[in-house]
Amino acid sequence: MGLSFDSVVSLLNPSFLGTGYHIYVDNFYTSAMLFRHLSSMNFGACGTIRPNRKGFPKTRVNALPRDADRGDMRWIRDGKLLYVKWMDTREVTMCSTIHRAYDGEVMFRNVRSDGVWSRRAISVPTPVKEYNKYMGGVDLSDALIKFYSVDRKTTRWYMKLFLHFLDIAVVNSFIIHKEIALGNGQRPLTQKAFRVHLVKQLAAIGREQSVERPLEQPSSSSTAACFPVPVCELSESPTLKCTKGRRKCVHCQRCTIFKCGSCDVPLCIVADRICFTEWHKDR
């Protein structure tokens, strides 16, 4: 039935959980098919929904106008399913099997009119208010990640995955910091200040290690003392700079203009063959 459907249904075992509970999900899971199935299992459901989901009403008769004001709303019922559109800073679409469309609730928003900001009470649908009350956790985590994400465009899917995990780890540590600070009666850092402090701590780790642990001196047999140098003085002529005085590489027997300054043997340093490294590894 699809990942979003199966993942929710597989977690709901009435023999363990009982029935009659209300479930709140985000728009990845919400669908008419899932909510009808949950209703048949005696579970109520509410969540944001994508307008392009199968089963979402396609009629434009009851749609919000383009110049809709904040607080404007429209709703349609399809059996047990209630679909609500509400205008906040952008259009919000909801689906619910447990709420009425509007019970008179309001919320306060800062609204700009004629260049002047003012605080105004706007109408809010019941599903939206209940969703914000019970479903704040996941959406809050997503919002915190979006504020200061380390994500970058890349064609390597594994890098995308790694960066997302990094975002999750930083946000989780920020949430733990807030809980510890509030538990100790302290004022927690903002997320930006927390990230700056985290970066400074991570950057200091390498410096502390380099200060505490002295550099190891290479042994006499180590290749650390070996370095490439030209086999002869370079010609002043641009046409002879890479050809004059070349010698045969002791590793591949091809001509080269480099040698090891310590071992005094000619060795290649070319993109497709780095005899300098290979020859020293063999020894």
Side-chain angles (χ1 to χ4, degrees):
M1 303 299 287
L3 176 62
S4 60
F5 182 97
D6 295 341
S7 57
V8 173
V9 174
S10 63
L11 292 173
L12 297 179
N13 191 331
S15 61
F16 295 141
L17 301 175
T19 58
Y21 294 104
H22 296 169
I23 301 166
Y24 292 84
V25 295
D26 62 21
N27 60 25
F28 175 79
Y29 302 97
T30 306
S31 67
M33 180 173 59
L34 173 64
F35 278 23
R36 286 196 175 98
H37 181 76
L38 293 178
S39 180
S40 67
M41 296 172 61
N42 198 24
F43 286 102
C46 176
T48 54
I49 186 172
R50 302 171 185 175
N52 59 355
R53 272 293 172 91
K54 186 176 180 180
F56 190 86
K58 300 299 182 182
T59 177
R60 302 296 299 175
V61 176
N62 202 29
L64 283 169
R66 291 187 177 182
D67 57 347
D69 195 12
R70 296 185 73 169
D72 288 353
M73 65 184 79
R74 301 288 189 273
W75 62 84
I76 293 178
R77 280 202 174 273
D78 181 11
K80 292 186 176 181
L81 298 180
L82 169 69
Y83 297 96
V84 178
K85 282 188 176 183
W86 176 63
M87 179 59 68
D88 193 16
T89 52
R90 59 183 180 84
E91 191 176 277
V92 178
T93 52
M94 303 287 299
C95 182
S96 176
T97 60
I98 53 180
H99 298 112
R100 297 171 58 184
Y102 182 58
D103 286 331
E105 293 94 344
V106 296
M107 62 172 51
F108 293 90
R109 287 285 191 268
N110 292 323
V111 180
R112 187 175 184 178
S113 178
D114 298 328
V116 178
W117 288 95
S118 61
R119 193 166 180 80
R120 193 177 76 185
I122 63 173
S123 302
V124 56
T126 304
V128 174
K129 192 160 187 178
E130 294 295 297
Y131 179 87
N132 290 337
K133 179 179 178 181
Y134 294 108
M135 186 56 186
V138 173
D139 282 358
L140 177 60
S141 176
D142 292 341
L144 290 173
I145 288 175
K146 293 299 181 183
F147 287 147
Y148 303 102
S149 176
V150 300
D151 193 14
R152 293 295 179 269
K153 288 185 178 180
T154 175
T155 56
R156 295 173 291 176
W157 63 268
Y158 53 87
M159 183 59 70
K160 195 82 171 177
L161 207 59
F162 167 75
L163 293 175
H164 182 64
F165 287 155
L166 191 62
D167 274 330
I168 293 175
V170 173
V171 168
N172 286 346
S173 61
F174 170 66
I175 293 173
I176 293 172
H177 156 74
K178 287 181 64 178
E179 291 181 353
I180 293 175
L182 294 174
N184 295 332
Q186 301 172 349
R187 184 176 180 180
L189 298 172
T190 63
Q191 186 182 181
K192 183 177 181 180
F194 174 82
R195 286 177 176 263
V196 170
H197 191 64
L198 175 63
V199 169
K200 289 180 178 179
Q201 284 188 333
L202 292 174
I205 292 175
R207 289 198 295 269
E208 291 173 358
Q209 290 179 348
S210 63
V211 171
E212 294 173 358
R213 190 167 57 189
L215 294 175
E216 298 179 0
Q217 296 297 327
S219 62
S220 58
S221 60
S222 174
T223 60
C226 298
F227 53 92
V229 295
V231 294
C232 61
E233 293 185 6
L234 298 178
S235 173
E236 294 181 357
S237 173
T239 59
L240 300 176
K241 188 168 291 186
C242 294
T243 57
K244 185 178 179 180
R246 291 190 300 174
R247 294 167 59 187
K248 284 190 176 181
C249 173
V250 297
H251 188 68
C252 69
Q253 302 303 314
R254 300 184 186 182
C255 291
T256 179
I257 63 169
F258 292 105
K259 70 174 182 178
C260 177
S262 177
C263 305
D264 196 27
V265 292
L267 293 164
C268 296
I269 302 179
V270 189
D272 58 350
R273 64 180 192 280
I274 307 180
C275 298
F276 184 90
T277 303
E278 297 298 329
W279 187 83
H280 284 94
K281 282 184 179 179
D282 293 344
R283 282 152 181 76

